[in-house]
Amino acid sequence: MSFWQDESEHVRMAARTLFHCAASRAIPIPLCDKKANANRELVRSLSEIGENEGQVSKVGGTSTNGLSSDMSPEPQATSLAAESPDKSLGKQGITEAERFKILDWLESYEMQDWISCVGGTSQDAMTSHIIVAAALAMWYPSLVKPSLATLVAHPLVKLVMAMNETYSSTAAELLSEGMESTWKACINSEISRLIGDTFFQIECVSGQSANTAGHHPPVPSSVRETLVGILLPNLAMADIPGFLNVIESQIWSTASDSPVHLVSLTTLIRVMRGSPRQLSQYLDKVSRVNYISRRQSCTIIQTICFIFWIFM
């Protein structure tokens, strides 16, 4: 997890590739779905039998097309995840004891060997657990307990809002990527509030409010870029009417030179390009937001609003 936001793109890609290679084989026991685990063991046993038969055939001089043991289990495990992407969150079917085990693992400060290798702390151990659980719930839903997404959604959101230099960008990316498929069902009623919180964080790290942060360390620009360019557009597309209400109130309540005005418009343009059909249901609201922006914002924003109005 520590290398998912490394400055080098090659390091980031290598770290995520290693995660996917190990994910289906090394799921933490408290998170692992028993049925999926049994299926995975069956697949592994069958692949080992196939490998042994292939070796016997080779000894006897007969050629075989059997796959090697390194390759067989991983595609099978991946296909299991693909065949069952969305389990009903309302039919989770786990005991209270299992639920507490998952929560206990998520909140654990237990130091792992790798933490000392990268110079981390017990806080790094807990935040890494949240990232791992969220990634597994999003990318491998059929291999983990069906309640995992529900239990990890709120810790993931808190990690995004913590503005942690090491983990918040990764948490925001996971929240964005899985919003439609995984997280929306868990936090649907809170998306509007989360959009407002995201705008507040963006304003804090964009300059004016950052000056009032006092002794707090500066937040790296990568966190702001992730919030503006990745998280906010996905939150907006998940709750378009909520997003329009939030940006209207933000434009009314912030100064004309606030970065919120520009971010609101650029996000609205991204939503228009990404979800034009859904946005078309709220054209009256979009027009109102555009009109308010032209009246409340500085000259540059007014020009952008005018261009936006022409192309609507």
Side-chain angles (χ1 to χ4, degrees), residues 124-145:
D124 292 311
M126 189 181 75
T127 49
S128 294
H129 282 183
I130 295 171
I131 295 292
V132 168
L136 290 172
M138 184 179 72
W139 288 324
Y140 299 93
S142 67
L143 301 182
V144 295
K145 289 186 171 69

Side-chain angles (χ1 to χ4, degrees), residues 201-215:
Q201 296 287 18
I202 290 169
E203 188 172 18
C204 286
V205 301
S206 293
Q208 298 163 330
S209 297
N211 295 331
T212 65
H215 61 277

Side-chain angles (χ1 to χ4, degrees), residues 94-139:
I94 68 163
T95 64
E96 196 69 11
E98 289 176 320
R99 177 177 174 273
F100 280 120
K101 283 181 181 178
I102 294 175
L103 292 174
D104 186 56
W105 187 87
L106 287 174
E107 297 168 1
S108 171
Y109 283 89
E110 180 184 356
M111 291 289 286
Q112 304 292 336
D113 293 338
W114 68 268
I115 292 290
S116 57
C117 293
V118 298
T121 64
S122 58
Q123 183 69 33
D124 292 311
M126 189 181 75
T127 49
S128 294
H129 282 183
I130 295 171
I131 295 292
V132 168
L136 290 172
M138 184 179 72
W139 288 324

